[in-house]
Amino acid sequence: MSSRRWPRWVRVVLYSALGLATVAVAGFVWLFFMGGIAISDRTMLWRMMREEGVEPPSASLISEQLRVPPGFKVALWAQDLPSARLMAPTVNGDLILSQPRGGLVVLLYGDRDGDGRSDGRQTLFAGLDRPNGVDLHEGWLYVAEATRVSRVPFDAAARQVTGSLQPLVTGLTADGAHWRKTAKVGPDGLLYLGQGSTCNVCIEKDSRRATVMRFALDGSGGEIIATGTRNPYGFDWAPWDGALYATENSRDLLGDDIPADELNRIEPGGFYGWPYVHARPVVDPEFGRGRESLIATARPPAHEFRAHNAPLGVRFLRHSVRPAGYERVALVALHGSWNRSTPDGYKVVSLHFADDGRIEERDFLSGFRGAAGLIGRPVDVAEAADGSIYVSDDYAGVIYRVSR
């Protein structure tokens, strides 16, 4: 073996990397085992860090533990879908799903044989860079990966795409936290893109992080329309007035009950407070001081969820046949807490919009945490052409169907 030493710069890099790794491991040990902060469920956190989940619940467990309002029923519709995330229903009853962990976009066949389950599946794309957002618009499938947004022709009747993905928006950063991108086409025929922050709280180097952006459908003419949105993961447009609403998980590590998570009404040019102020209002202890004039311009949330409930996908119901009381309603998937003394969230809630602007929150699909423990974490909500409601769950790797 040669006795020649590595160059000094190589040794510095290696020692620095080793030091950072040691600090990271020590920090994890303190956090996980010594109770450095409140943790809702250490088993869940351990499984999350190892990118593992739980087995799909049985039909009897679903019947015993999951609850829906009177007039609805819930059943398991598809399983074996690790990291199941965002969904886009097709016009013929199928469902497109992203699976970031596997780099997959899959097509789940609708239930045509009447057994209450998806009839099968096919992979539309594999080997993508952590795909998350999917949307369908006028014969195109839009896919948001970690660093780009693309589209491809999609034939719903033939159940196939034509050709390869055509990049529209490229060069997006995916470092740090909140790397998932959500892209949807709005009722104005423009492409909207939500991109979260790199961190819990910080001043971003990339001005596109923690924003909502808007583009022409070919990716041109991009502009930032909303800032200070820590992670605008789910968004949708209210069908009665076209207003755009986006969910936001507020910052962590300020305690069990503050700050509240948010639903924001997105207005062009709006500033929503992060990282200087959170919810109504919790001034950030690190970044808020001396920013009073800026904080005064921050738009308050349209609705506040309980702290650490982690609202993700949001969907306004549009089907013409709905039960009484569901005329102006959005469903929101609460992924559930990871850093709270008492676990909270883990359900789908309905938001009922009154004419005077008030929003009432009610449970819609609940019971994911119960006597059998934590059996799932909702991510997204989709409404099919027949009025069926689908809920994706990345912890059990399943999709539920809620029907009348």
Side-chain angles (χ1 to χ4, degrees), residues 54 74 112 147 150 156 195 298:
V54 293
V74 59
R112 297 182 181 178
T147 59
S150 308
Q195 179 170 226

Side-chain angles (χ1 to χ4, degrees), residues 17 154 158 164 253 319 330 400:
F154 174 74
S164 57
L253 309 181
H319 196 270
Y400 294 94

Side-chain angles (χ1 to χ4, degrees), residues 15-39:
Y15 294 155
S16 298
L18 180 61
L20 289 173
T22 301
V23 170
V25 171
F28 170 72
V29 171
W30 174 77
L31 169 70
F32 191 79
F33 294 103
M34 303 304 293
I37 62 171
I39 297 177

Side-chain angles (χ1 to χ4, degrees), residues 190-265:
L190 297 175
L191 177 64
Y192 288 75
L193 174 63
Q195 179 170 226
S197 65
T198 62
C199 57
N200 181 28
V201 279
C202 64
I203 306 299
E204 295 287 1
K205 296 179 180 179
D206 182 350
S207 61
R208 300 168 299 177
R209 299 302 289 259
T211 69
V212 177
M213 293 172 276
R214 181 169 61 190
F215 303 82
L217 290 182
D218 63 1
S220 64
E223 60 177 337
I224 295 173
I225 65 167
T227 58
T229 56
R230 182 173 176 266
N231 56 341
Y233 186 82
F235 54 87
D236 197 13
W237 291 260
W240 54 87
D241 63 2
L244 173 60
Y245 290 86
T247 59
E248 178 175 348
N249 294 190
S250 290
R251 68 153 294 173
D252 299 315
L253 309 181
L254 290 183
D256 274 0
D257 299 314
I258 61 170
D261 287 338
E262 305 176 28
L263 178 76
N264 291 312
R265 178 169 172 149

Side-chain angles (χ1 to χ4, degrees), residues 11 15 31 35 44 46 61 99 145 168-169 195 216 230 234-235 257 267 282-283 305 330 365 382 393:
R11 285 182 280 125
Y15 294 155
L31 169 70
M44 178 195 71
W46 178 249
L61 181 56
Q99 294 178 257
E145 298 175 72
L168 304 174
V169 181
Q195 179 170 226
R230 182 173 176 266
F235 54 87
D257 299 314
E267 302 283 355
V282 176
V283 175
F305 303 95
L365 173 59
D393 170 359

Side-chain angles (χ1 to χ4, degrees), residues 46-242:
W46 178 249
R47 289 180 178 274
M48 284 170 52
M49 297 185 71
R50 297 183 61 182
E51 294 191 340
E52 295 178 350
V54 293
E55 292 296 318
S58 65
S60 60
L61 181 56
I62 292 171
S63 177
E64 294 169 4
Q65 192 158 312
L66 294 187
R67 298 179 296 276
V68 289
F72 292 95
K73 60 181 179 180
V74 59
L76 192 65
W77 188 75
Q79 62 186 68
D80 299 324
L81 298 166
S83 75
R85 277 274 159 170
L86 297 189
M87 301 175 287
T90 74
V91 294
N92 66 341
D94 297 333
L95 195 66
I96 294 175
L97 173 74
S98 66
Q99 294 178 257
R101 186 194 311 166
L104 300 172
V105 174
V106 299
L107 179 68
L108 303 173
Y109 299 155
D111 174 24
R112 297 182 181 178
D113 60 13
D115 67 351
R117 294 289 192 105
S118 168
D119 289 349
R121 69 188 68 178
Q122 65 169 297
T123 299
L124 298 179
F125 292 101
L128 299 183
D129 183 10
R130 294 164 287 171
N132 182 70
V134 288
D135 198 21
L136 292 168
H137 179 71
E138 295 183 347
W140 292 89
L141 168 61
Y142 291 80
V143 178
E145 298 175 72
T147 59
R148 70 175 188 173
V149 181
S150 308
R151 68 178 180 180
V152 64
F154 174 74
D155 187 330
R159 291 174 163 170
Q160 64 183 17
V161 295
T162 303
S164 57
L165 287 166
Q166 305 170 16
L168 304 174
V169 181
T170 59
L172 300 171
T173 54
D175 55 317
H178 309 135
W179 47 262
R180 295 179 176 89
K181 310 296 189 292
T182 303
K184 289 185 178 181
V185 178
D188 55 4
L190 297 175
L191 177 64
Y192 288 75
L193 174 63
Q195 179 170 226
S197 65
T198 62
C199 57
N200 181 28
V201 279
C202 64
I203 306 299
E204 295 287 1
K205 296 179 180 179
D206 182 350
S207 61
R208 300 168 299 177
R209 299 302 289 259
T211 69
V212 177
M213 293 172 276
R214 181 169 61 190
F215 303 82
L217 290 182
D218 63 1
S220 64
E223 60 177 337
I224 295 173
I225 65 167
T227 58
T229 56
R230 182 173 176 266
N231 56 341
Y233 186 82
F235 54 87
D236 197 13
W237 291 260
W240 54 87
D241 63 2

